[in-house]
């Protein structure tokens, strides 16, 4: 069955998967959603016998129906190769009464690699399929991890260039170093004086600027997005939910059909939305537990049915979740509104105008598989220490938010279903916060000293991605005001 993609805000024709990947965002500012979420065509038992790459093909072919088998397998094989430091690609580690799905074994040691190592290939394949001759300019706002993963994915990919904006004071030192040392003649990295939401709004404004698009087209450029709003990001993320369930099945940890809960540390709502899509494809998933840090706008939304971003923006030790506008939530809103684009557009307009919207009781009833939870900074740090001391497992701050939320959920509900916790970053990426959580004596110590300490404490090898940046030269030092983002892009592209 052919799957097409239409805007959550309704206007415009449905487009093919490759067109949706190329455009990133729909013309009316909405997000592309599949006309229906396809079912898996192979049985879970059969998928349990497949490796990661084969599973990826099984899942992605259902969504990207205008890609040929050869095209899609090509993209998959170029993405999930020895850039990952383990053949399994995403190991499932059983510790402390749960399964940690380690999504951080790619080139930049964060889960963004899962999608961003394949997106450049999906995008260049899509350009070829649609006879695009313009150079594709990837414009991205990052709260830390997307930026580096996108830069690594797109660096020196022919026919593309990439410009990344990040909040100058809103990412970890390691995250910043990873980005500003990025090689590749087609890469640009810019710090802005605002926060992540400012960066994201600035990028969205440029995408929606028809005048700018015209000038770019005249010069042989067009924008595309590597942010998690691109369906080329979302679809590859569905894969590891199917994969992890079928690994549990293969191990005999679950019977076929037995529901498994997933806990996802959430920011932009992309990762957990992929789990929701996996459930809709036929994977037996029980609860989808959405874990937030102090920026608990999503927790409040699941509790009350009111999404309200009018609140203080809090910088935490899990910066990739410091987000008040979770863009991908729009796709869930559209689904639970009965695919009513007009209603969705209305709520998103309210969000823009007043910073809030509320959903109907009917819509709320359709979210019953979602559970919201949140963990304070103190709880997050305590969870890192507890799991290290009790199970000898060292996790990063984002994963710790999810882990803390899970244990509170389990205590409260007595739900004993097998549970998978999405582990979204390597602890090495947040070594300072992780080591200080384990022992206060590390406070104020140098990042790289703590990286060595972390290796000793956890008994794991320092990943290449970290070793590399110890001595790498800074290649990007541009900083601009939020208001000057477009000017900066024009300068970079020579418009
Ligand atoms: C991006 C990110 C998240 C949040 O994922 P979303 O898809 O934006 O909800 C969580 N943890 C880490 C480490 C991340 O990089």
């Amino acid at each position: 069955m052919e799957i097409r993609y239409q805007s959550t805000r309704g206007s415009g024709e449905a487009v093919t998967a490759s067109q949706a990947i190329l455009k990133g965002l729909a013309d009316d500012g909405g997000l592309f959603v599949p006309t229906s979420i396809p079912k898996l065509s192979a049985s879970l038992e059969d998928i349990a016998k497949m490796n990661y790459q084969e599973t990826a093909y099984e899942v992605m072919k259902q969504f990207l129906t205008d890609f040929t088998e050869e095209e899609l397998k090509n993209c998959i094989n170029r993405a999930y190769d020895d850039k990952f430091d383990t053949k399994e690609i995403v190991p499932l580690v059983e510790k402390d009464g749960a399964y940690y799905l380690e999504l951080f074994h790619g080139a930049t040691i964060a889960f963004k690699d899962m999608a961003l190592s394949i997106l450049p290939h999906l995008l260049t394949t899509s350009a070829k399929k649609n006879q695009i001759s313009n150079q594709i300019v990837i414009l991205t706002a990052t709260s830390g991890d997307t930026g580096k993963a996108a830069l690594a994915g797109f660096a020196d990919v022919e026919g593309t260039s990439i410009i990344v904006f990040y909040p100058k004071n809103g990412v970890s030192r390691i995250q910043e170093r990873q980005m500003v040392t990025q090689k590749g003649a087609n890469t640009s990295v810019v710090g802005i004086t605002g926060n992540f939401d400012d960066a994201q709004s600035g990028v969205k404004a440029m995408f929606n600027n028809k005048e700018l698009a015209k000038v770019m087209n005249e010069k042989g450029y067009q924008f595309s997005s590597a942010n998690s709003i691109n369906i080329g990001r979302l679809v590859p993320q569905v894969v590891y939910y199917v994969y992890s369930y079928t690994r549990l099945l293969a191990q005999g940890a679950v019977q076929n059909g037995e529901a498994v809960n997933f806990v996802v540390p959430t920011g932009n709502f992309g990762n957990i939305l992929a789990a929701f899509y996996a459930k809709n494809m036929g994977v037996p998933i029980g609860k989808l537990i959405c874990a937030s840090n102090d920026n608990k706008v999503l927790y409040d939304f699941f509790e009350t049915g009111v999404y309200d971003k009018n609140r203080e923006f809090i910088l935490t030790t899990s910066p990739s979740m410091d987000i008040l506008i979770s863009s991908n939530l729009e796709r869930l809103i559209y689904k639970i509104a009965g695919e009513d684009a007009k209603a969705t557009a209305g709520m998103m307009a309210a969000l823009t105008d007043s910073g809030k919207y509320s959903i109907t009781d009917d819509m709320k009833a359709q979210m019953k598989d979602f559970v919201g939870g949140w963990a304070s900074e103190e709880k997050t740090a305590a969870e890192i220490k507890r799991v290290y001391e009790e199970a000898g497992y060292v996790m990063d701050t984002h994963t710790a938010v999810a882990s803390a939320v899970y244990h509170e959920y389990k205590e409260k509900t007595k739900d004993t279903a097998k549970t998978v916790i999405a582990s979204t970053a390597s602890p090495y990426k947040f070594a300072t916060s992780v080591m200080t959580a384990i022992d206060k004596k590390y406070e104020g110590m140098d990042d790289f000293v703590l990286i060595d300490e972390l290796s000793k404490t956890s008994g794991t090898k320092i990943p290449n991605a970290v070793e590399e940046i110890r001595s790498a030269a800074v290649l990007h030092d541009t900083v601009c005001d939020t208001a000057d983002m477009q000017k900066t892009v024009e300068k970079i592209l020579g418009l």
Side-chain angles (χ1 to χ4, degrees):
M1 189 177 80
E2 199 204 0
I3 302 284
R4 293 178 81 86
Y5 291 81
Q6 65 206 19
S7 168
T8 47
R9 301 188 194 171
S11 62
E13 300 265 295
V15 299
T16 62
S18 64
Q19 287 164 342
I21 289 170
L22 278 171
K23 291 177 80 85
L25 201 65
D27 289 334
D28 59 5
L31 275 55
F32 284 113
V33 279
T35 41
S36 68
I37 299 175
K39 297 279 174 210
L40 288 165
S41 59
S43 70
L44 292 167
E45 281 107 335
D46 283 343
I47 299 175
K49 298 187 198 105
M50 296 178 187
N51 66 18
Y52 193 84
Q53 293 79 359
E54 290 161 344
T55 307
Y57 178 67
E58 256 333 289
V59 173
M60 292 177 67
K61 73 171 188 195
Q62 301 297 89
F63 283 99
L64 309 182
T65 51
D66 70 326
F67 281 62
T68 66
E69 176 170 351
E70 194 194 347
E71 285 168 341
L72 190 51
K73 286 190 169 166
N74 229 324
C75 292
I76 289 167
N77 293 332
R78 281 156 81 181
Y80 305 114
D81 59 7
D82 55 16
K83 289 190 286 300
F84 286 76
D85 66 10
T86 158
K87 274 215 155 40
E88 296 166 274
I89 307 295
V90 290
L92 191 59
V93 179
E94 186 180 4
K95 290 279 177 199
D96 187 47
Y99 294 87
Y100 289 86
L101 177 62
E102 294 188 348
L103 303 173
F104 56 76
H105 288 271
T108 75
I109 60 174
F111 105 93
K112 304 293 192 293
D113 288 327
M114 298 311 302
L116 284 165
S117 47
I118 193 166
L119 182 69
H121 306 296
L122 295 176
L123 203 52
T124 47
T125 306
S126 297
K128 269 192 215 119
K129 295 176 77 64
N130 290 279
Q131 288 87 40
I132 301 285
S133 55
N134 278 344
Q135 175 165 328
I136 309 273
V137 180
I138 298 295
L139 197 59
T140 286
T142 183
S143 56
D145 291 334
T146 304
K148 178 60 187 186
L151 287 161
F154 281 94
D156 294 324
V157 171
E158 214 180 302
T160 71
S161 59
I162 172 162
I163 305 171
V164 170
F165 288 97
Y166 73 97
K168 179 75 186 148
N169 297 315
V171 301
S172 82
R173 275 185 55 205
I174 302 274
Q175 286 179 315
E176 182 171 37
R177 262 202 84 74
Q178 278 190 308
M179 289 192 278
V180 298
T181 56
Q182 177 65 47
K183 294 189 186 124
N186 65 340
T187 65
S188 306
V189 179
V190 182
I192 68 154
T193 50
N195 64 32
F196 170 71
D197 287 328
D198 297 327
Q200 180 148 278
S201 302
V203 162
K204 271 197 168 181
M206 282 186 263
F207 275 124
N208 291 333
N209 186 334
K210 304 242 156 56
E211 191 54 35
L212 179 61
K214 205 171 130 228
V215 176
M216 295 208 9
N217 191 41
E218 282 159 10
K219 299 263 179 173
Y221 293 115
Q222 71 186 63
F223 281 139
S224 191
S225 155
N227 265 19
S228 63
I229 49 177
N230 194 310
I231 61 124
R233 285 274 304 272
L234 190 59
V235 169
Q237 292 178 355
V238 180
V239 174
Y240 46 77
Y241 291 104
V242 178
Y243 185 74
S244 53
Y245 185 88
T246 51
R247 284 331 91 171
L248 290 175
L249 194 56
Q251 290 167 20
V254 296
Q255 305 290 316
N256 197 358
E258 184 181 334
V260 168
N261 296 333
F262 281 87
V263 192
V264 185
T266 297
N268 228 343
F269 209 75
N271 201 4
I272 195 163
L273 186 77
F276 178 69
Y277 277 22
K279 182 177 167 107
N280 281 271
M281 285 190 96
V283 180
I285 293 177
K287 294 294 182 201
L288 295 158
I289 302 170
C290 176
S292 300
N293 64 21
D294 276 324
N295 296 291
K296 57 186 184 61
V297 60
L298 286 166
Y299 166 79
D300 292 340
F301 172 67
F302 285 117
E303 288 292 298
T304 63
V306 178
Y307 192 94
D308 186 355
K309 72 157 188 111
N310 301 308
R311 61 181 74 207
E312 190 193 348
F313 181 92
I314 301 167
L315 293 177
T316 72
T317 52
S318 45
S320 300
M321 298 159 69
D322 289 346
I323 287 173
L324 293 180
I325 304 175
S326 300
S327 301
N328 267 295
L329 186 65
E330 182 170 342
R331 289 187 162 111
L332 178 68
I333 295 293
Y334 175 79
K335 186 97 179 24
I336 60 175
E339 314 207 329
D340 183 339
K342 214 170 141 209
T344 309
M347 283 180 264
M348 294 307 128
L351 182 63
T352 306
D353 295 343
S354 65
K356 66 192 256 188
Y357 61 86
S358 40
I359 61 171
T360 63
D361 287 345
D362 238 22
M363 289 170 73
K364 198 156 177 255
Q366 290 196 59
M367 302 198 304
K368 62 179 188 323
D369 296 333
F370 284 91
V371 179
W374 72 287
S376 65
E377 287 290 272
E378 204 183 346
K379 254 198 191 157
T380 303
E383 181 69 358
I384 292 173
K385 186 176 168 75
R386 183 190 72 77
V387 177
Y388 167 63
E389 285 173 353
E390 289 177 14
Y393 186 63
V394 179
M395 65 178 77
D396 99 290
T397 45
H398 303 74
T399 308
V401 168
S403 190
V405 164
Y406 169 57
H407 287 288
E408 193 175 295
Y409 164 81
K410 193 173 169 189
E411 198 127 293
K412 208 162 80 191
T413 60
K414 313 284 180 227
D415 181 352
T416 56
K418 297 261 169 26
T419 296
V420 174
I421 296 172
S423 178
T424 49
S426 160
Y428 285 96
K429 202 155 184 177
F430 300 95
T432 305
S433 304
V434 169
M435 292 311 288
T436 330
I438 288 176
D439 193 330
K440 287 260 183 289
K441 76 176 182 199
Y442 293 115
E443 239 161 47
M445 282 169 71
D446 175 77
D447 285 339
F448 283 100
V449 171
L450 291 181
I451 280 166
D452 294 331
E453 285 297 313
L454 175 53
S455 179
K456 280 186 230 151
T457 301
S458 63
T460 58
K461 194 178 148 284
I462 300 175
N464 280 341
V466 175
E467 285 296 1
E468 262 169 31
I469 57 167
R470 267 188 212 260
S471 54
V474 171
L475 302 173
H476 307 269
D477 59 3
T478 309
V479 178
C480 80
D481 278 341
T482 308
D484 292 335
M485 287 171 64
Q486 185 173 325
K487 264 192 217 141
T488 307
V489 167
E490 287 167 358
K491 195 165 151 214
I492 290 167
L493 297 177
L495 299 183

